[in-house]
Amino acid sequence: MRMVLTGRESLIRLIGKRRRFLPNRHTILSDPNPNPNPNPNPIQAVEEPPQSDNNDDVQCPVCGRSLPGDNDHINSHLDACLSQPKPTTPSTKRKFSQRTLLQLNFTLSNSKPKFQNLTHDSNNSPVPLPQNDESEKEEEEEVPENHEAEFDSTIAATSLSSSSVNNDVPDDSKPEDVLGATFETFIVGRKYADNPEEMCAGAAISFLRDPQNVKDPNAIKVVSADSVCGKSLGFLPRELAQYLSPLIDNYGFGFQIMCRRTSDGESKYANETFKCLWKNAQRVVEFASRNPPSSVKYQLNFGLMLHEVLRNNIHLLTEDEKTYMESFTLLSNDSQRLFIRLYTRKGPWFRMSNISYPEIVDTQKAVKGLAEKEYIHSIEDANKLCESDLNDILNILSVCELREIWCILLKKSGVHGMKKQHLISSILSTDNSVPWPQLSTMILDRTGSCIRISSKAESLMWRTERLFFLNGEQDLSSFLLVDMGKIKYPAYNCIISEPIFSNRNNLLSYEEAIEVAQITDEALDANKIDVVLRCINIAESCVSTDFPIQCSTSESVSSIRHVFTSSWVYSKVVTVGISFLEREHRYIDAINLLQWLLNVFTCDVRRGYWTLRLSVDLEHLGYIDESLQVAENGLLDPWIRAGSRMALQRRVLRLGKPPRRWKVPSFSRSALRKIPEVFVQGRPLNSELGEKNRYYNEAGKQCGVEEIALHYYAGDGGGWQGVHAESGIWLTIFGLLMWDVIYADVPNVFYTRFQNAPLDFGTDDFYTARKSSIESHLQQIRDGMAEEFLIKSWETHIGTACRGVNWGCHSLDELRAVVSCVGGTCLASLCKLLAQDYRSWSSGMPDLLLWRFHGEYSGEAKLVEVKGPRDRLSEQQRAWLLLLLDYGFTIEVCKVKPL
């Protein structure tokens, strides 16, 4: 079970996906005097892949052999390949390879992708036609759904009638006037095939026009030539079939390995219609070759990420690293795809026998290419297996294989009840009693050849992802979510004048801090107290001596960039460490760290939490006067806000009674204000301490206290409509009302196209940098424009990702009703508060939002916090309720009591 500590969820989000290889792990855990300014981690240069002397060679899609690029050789070779009988192989147990998100082909049932006409630039590469008023309107077509396993198919096509075809023409007797072209395309609609699984490389196939197809009259069916009944294998892509089918129907055009041209071929196919169709068909194939289908879309996305990082962060990379990253683009398609597949899998080790992907033609050749450029390491000989890799290698063995090794090592039997991890632990415990060569041989005999991504590639690609997305929560799957329409990011302009990391040393320090954070998180999972304490000490010692961080209101980028410093990461590690020390009742150590944080980070909204914990821990040790003094000093700190300020005020009132303090604080009346209360009765289901209260509603069904309260307010409580939404509905309303302000053109806040909010969102600089536009917008809301803003944002941006906006929880009608009943003045006050300090006030709002209309255009709203018999208001909730009272909202607390 994961240890619940304050700040840990935030630390986990910062770390993101745990890295398999931490280059500084040994140094971090062994160096008695950690260096606050780590030396750069050099990455050795790799040689560029040699350029091929013959760029005209092509690879046979059936057998994989390299062939001369002329049509005669290609066609004759394909004829021989496809005419060979399919080998019969003994049945073997089916092997399943690990599937990832990259392998799934998601298609939208309600979307119709557009196929765009293409033209050629001076370099003969297809580019989209310019979109202007004179261009023709593109037709929307429904493309047949692709099966997740798509197969390459090479078609030799020529312009002549099928009656003149002779597939048996010997190689040396082929006419010199053959006019043909070789197409590389894909078989789609595999899930509609007679037997979707029955297809393999080298199978002979034929093509059949299917004009009666209800979905596409231009359909060209792919059938098995080996089958007597011609089993359907799928279809040619619709974009290609729309041009090839008229050629077949109107000109007797056929698909063959080799075809003769008829004597009148020149005149027969000289008309403009034929030329246009033929030219479009060639363009379709050329476009498809440069834009592979969805099964390899991830390869294009990965290449885009590499290109962007190399272009925008060149100052952060050494020449060796740049050469190494650029060498990736020179790898073969199979090698690139295999690397990306392995990188996105858990690993770190993979059995070669289990690696199989439909879009990778030759896995062995792909592995060889990656190994030559040091992107992967392979093990084929037991002598090359290191003891440090033993645990990871054992994890790729099956339970049956582990049992075999366990029985051999311990000379016992009957281990059927042991789980996999117990078997691995038992084998590792016998490691010292068994010669290493014997153990490694037993393991490799069962795994066969194994590969893993090299530490060099792992480190650089992790850095690439971090520089591209600027967080640990997003990775390559973000591209896929966009491609399949699951996420749509808002439109904004990236105006970048300063990079996030100004120099390489800052980047390396930040990366090492992330490593310390990951080691801390792993140690908490394993309950390794000594490692946790060491990481806390490292974090404290590594914070730069030129701190504290000073407040900066002149440049918003300064506030943004400090989130990407090692000191910021270390402060999160120490915050989690303080919660850990408090759980261990080590209050003196926690107090020392809290005092250190408050002295170093002088401009941080977390100062409220740190000050409150310092006051509480001092009280735990019996230092009441010191605890009171800390609370009083905290109330003078402008960075202590919201619930933390309310909690400190209440501590001062509780601890500062006579004789310690005789003077009543000025805030006492405000902090102790009574909040209106109502009482509702319900029939309880459970009453165990620590469990959420459950009740029966009027229909006899189980429900929570919020549903009991909603039922009360809808009836005897005044005929209110309402929702149980807490902060969610208000953050949605804020995002919709302030959309244009949030995504306005502000420099150095948008760095990637995968952001759902500017980088300064939630900081003080968000309001400061946009003060004039925010105030102007808020005035329009006060003047009654809120509903218009709401409708415009909803209709224009529905479904687009925006921080805080939840499109699925509330309908437009509900939101319009809320906006109308709350009123412009209250809405403007709430929006201004969130614009100024979104982080402090984005949680803790009342449970229920109620509204009712008085006539057609006027109404009122009420906010209700619901509490069960043993519940009480948190300080954040109390702060919200009192603030909403000041803003003019109607609020109350509803207490549900058992019958």
Side-chain angles (χ1 to χ4, degrees), residues 298-314 317 321-331 336 339-340 343 375 457 459-469 476 479:
Y298 63 83
Q299 183 184 1
L300 300 177
N301 293 334
F302 192 85
L304 172 65
M305 183 177 70
L306 275 181
H307 173 74
E308 289 293 314
V309 170
L310 284 169
R311 182 169 62 90
N312 297 326
N313 299 278
I314 198 71
L317 304 172
E321 292 170 348
K322 286 183 283 187
T323 302
Y324 187 69
M325 294 172 66
E326 289 167 354
S327 70
F328 183 85
T329 61
L330 302 176
L331 294 169
Q336 291 185 28
F339 176 84
I340 300 168
Y343 182 74
Y375 278 93
S459 296
L460 266 185
M461 295 310 163
W462 179 88
R463 178 181 296 169
T464 299
E465 279 189 320
R466 202 76 181 198
L467 289 173
F468 185 82
F469 293 107
L476 283 172
F479 281 102

Side-chain angles (χ1 to χ4, degrees), residues 665-686:
S666 58
F667 55 79
S668 62
R669 180 172 296 180
S670 173
L672 297 177
R673 272 185 296 175
K674 290 292 184 181
I675 298 172
E677 295 179 347
V678 296
F679 296 90
V680 178
Q681 289 187 325
R683 187 157 58 98
L685 173 67
N686 65 327

